């Protein structure tokens, strides 16, 4: 039992950076976004923004990059219809991301989106990442389109250290 605890402690899965930006301050504003380390391997992500007019037509450009002499595209580069997705949960990659953060956010509802959009004290839990992922530094870049026009970015970097003792 103690061995298992040590093994799972060996996994690192934590945020390393967050950069957000609005392209249209009359539709989406960020009040703040920040990381706060509470221990060596646990970093909390907080994002506070406001949608100023109801958004009914949302598309998300989801990309993952992996660091190797700069960030290189890594497997995922998709557009997702946000209003359809939240009803159907029919996108496997997004399901992983959504499963990790849904309990820390108020965006768990159907369209339209308007008013405060909050992510509070979100931290990554390796046990929920059911995906073989090589050790490395990653960037999850989400670009949010309303009515097909780019409104804002949420770029989140994280580090993942593979649990070698669990893999074959
Ligand atoms: C987010 O990342 C993408 C991809 O690297 C980049 O094009 C975009 O400028 C970034 N946005 C911000 C606000 O830094
Ligand atoms: C910016 O937001 C306003 C207000 O919601 C909207 O009418 C306008 O189309 C948006 N412009 C762009 C370029 O997204
Ligand atoms: C988000 O920012 C707004 C504007 O600064 C503030 O009024 C609100 O209390 C903040 N919400 C949270 C949950 O921090
Ligand atoms: C919001 O989350 C709860 C609990 O995870 C779930 O039961 C509910 O169906 C979700 N609502 C929507 C609109 O996705
Ligand atoms: C979203 O808005 C764009 C641009 O206005 C439009 O072409 C498209 O049909 C809309 N999509 C939906 C699902 O309403």
């Amino acid at each position: 039992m103690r061995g298992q605890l040590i093994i799972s402690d060996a996994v690192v899965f934590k945020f390393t950076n967050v950069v957000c930006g609005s392209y249209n301050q009359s539709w989406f504003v960020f009040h703040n976004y920040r990381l706060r380390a509470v221990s060596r391997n646990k970093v909390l992500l907080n994002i506070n923004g406001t949608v100023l007019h109801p958004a009914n037509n949302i598309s998300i450009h989801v990309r993952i990059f992996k660091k190797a002499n700069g960030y290189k595209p890594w497997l995922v580069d998709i557009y997702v219809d946000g209003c359809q997705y939240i009803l159907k949960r029919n996108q496997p990659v997004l399901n992983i991301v959504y499963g990790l953060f849904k309990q820390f956010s108020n965006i768990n509802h159907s369209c339209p989106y308007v008013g405060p959009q909050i992510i509070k004290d979100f931290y990554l839990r390796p046990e929920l990442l059911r995906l073989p992922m090589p050790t490395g530094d990653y960037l999850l870049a989400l670009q949010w389109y309303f009515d097909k026009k780019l409104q804002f970015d949420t770029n989140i970097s994280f580090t993942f250290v593979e649990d070698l003792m669990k893999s074959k």
Side-chain angles (χ1 to χ4, degrees), residues 13-65:
F13 184 32
K14 65 177 178 182
F15 295 119
T16 52
N17 197 21
V18 55
V19 180
C20 299
S22 172
Y23 296 97
N24 185 356
Q25 304 281 332
S26 63
W27 209 342
F28 194 95
V29 289
F30 286 101
H31 305 296
N32 56 65
Y33 52 88
R34 66 172 70 95
L35 297 181
R36 186 163 59 92
V38 292
S39 66
R40 197 159 55 91
N41 286 334
K42 186 171 172 185
V43 177
L44 307 182
L45 169 65
N46 283 273
I47 299 180
N48 177 354
T50 300
V51 178
L52 298 168
H53 304 283
N56 280 296
N57 182 330
I58 301 174
S59 160
I60 313 161
H61 188 190
V62 182
R63 282 177 295 173
I64 300 179
F65 298 85

Side-chain angles (χ1 to χ4, degrees), residues 13 60-65 74-80 85 89-101 128-133 138-142 158:
F13 184 32
I60 313 161
H61 188 190
V62 182
R63 282 177 295 173
I64 300 179
F65 298 85
W74 188 76
L75 297 183
V76 179
D77 184 345
I78 53 175
Y79 284 86
V80 178
Y85 173 74
R89 311 282 165 72
N90 52 358
Q91 215 307 316
V93 171
L94 217 52
N95 288 351
I96 293 169
V97 176
Y98 187 73
L100 287 167
F101 92 89
L128 296 185
L129 188 76
R130 307 201 185 291
L131 186 76
M133 196 183 235
Y138 294 87
L139 166 65
L140 172 68
L142 302 178
F158 58 93

Side-chain angles (χ1 to χ4, degrees), residues 1-13 125-133 135 160-168:
M1 283 301 105
R2 178 161 170 74
Q4 281 180 352
L5 283 175
I6 290 168
I7 288 166
S8 69
D9 280 352
V11 179
V12 179
F13 184 32
R125 289 162 295 172
E127 66 274 17
L128 296 185
L129 188 76
R130 307 201 185 291
L131 186 76
M133 196 183 235
T135 291
F160 181 81
V161 179
E162 210 175 349
D163 186 350
L164 291 172
M165 302 192 74
K166 265 192 203 161
S167 46
K168 294 189 255 173

